[in-house]
Amino acid sequence: MNITIVDYNSGNISSVINSFSEVAKDKVNIEVTSDLNKIKSTDKVVLPGQGSFKSCVEALNSINGLVDTLNEFVISNKKPLLGICVGLQMFADIGYEETETKGLGWVPGKVSKIDNQDGKYKLPHIGWNQINLIKDSKIFKDIKNNSHMYFVHSYEFIPEDKSVISATTDYSSNIVCSVEKENIFGTQFHPEKSDKMGLKIINNFINL
């Protein structure tokens, strides 16, 4: 099996690469590329994202044909994709970081700044926080409710259809921290920085 981590110059993705390689060992081939043909032919895709919604969307769009290839992979061919952090946020129709920016539109919704309640909550939301499992998600197999995951973000994804939400975290409000919609999976937290539980989530995705 082949898993492709999309490298579209969206910040340092070495920890994502290292975690997937550690979990995959020799049984799965992990490739890091923006080569469209390799993405088309792979079994699963990981879409990382660091920085702002706007900068990540622009970086995706700057590689000719990449968004079309991802749309075909996810929407037409229904192959599994895992979005991490801004990789998840880009599933939305629209994001409001820096300026209003159009997202991929895979999971209808918007990305808005977390309400810090007049400074009561620090932004970015950074560090370890518990997750509340809302539904049985394939990537949460053998993960206990209230497990701690590692977060770094100031914006939250608000999906229109609440049935896609697989986990939330409590920070100022119930923030969506994981979604599952058919073959599309996303985490707002960083599984690659979330110790053993995070590696378990990566393993669950690899074993889908």
Side-chain angles (χ1 to χ4, degrees), residues 87-159:
L88 154 71
Q89 293 181 1
M90 290 192 294
F91 296 173
D93 298 310
I94 196 157
Y96 293 100
E97 191 168 2
E98 293 183 48
T99 58
E100 192 177 295
T101 307
K102 191 168 173 280
L104 294 164
W106 295 342
V107 181
K110 64 181 182 178
V111 174
S112 304
K113 193 162 196 176
I114 295 168
D115 176 8
N116 70 355
Q117 298 181 22
D118 295 325
K120 192 174 159 194
Y121 290 86
K122 278 185 184 164
L123 291 182
H125 167 213
I126 188 163
W128 295 88
N129 207 343
Q130 287 178 313
I131 63 166
N132 316 303
L133 301 181
I134 304 291
K135 67 172 185 180
D136 273 348
S137 172
K138 291 168 189 164
I139 63 169
F140 289 140
K141 184 172 178 277
D142 299 327
I143 300 281
K144 288 190 172 72
N145 193 29
N146 299 323
S147 292
H148 285 79
M149 301 294 170
Y150 189 80
F151 291 84
V152 186
H153 65 121
S154 301
Y155 283 74
E156 60 175 322
F157 175 42
I158 303 166

Side-chain angles (χ1 to χ4, degrees), residues 19-30 202-203 206:
S19 296
F20 270 83
S21 300
E22 182 184 334
V23 173
K25 304 229 162 43
D26 300 328
K27 58 184 190 267
V28 180
N29 180 43
I30 304 288
I202 290 170
N203 190 52
I206 288 174

Side-chain angles (χ1 to χ4, degrees), residues 164-180:
V164 303
I165 301 169
S166 51
T168 60
T169 192
D170 194 27
Y171 194 79
S172 163
S173 65
N174 264 341
I175 288 173
V176 174
C177 68
S178 178
V179 300
E180 175 175 337

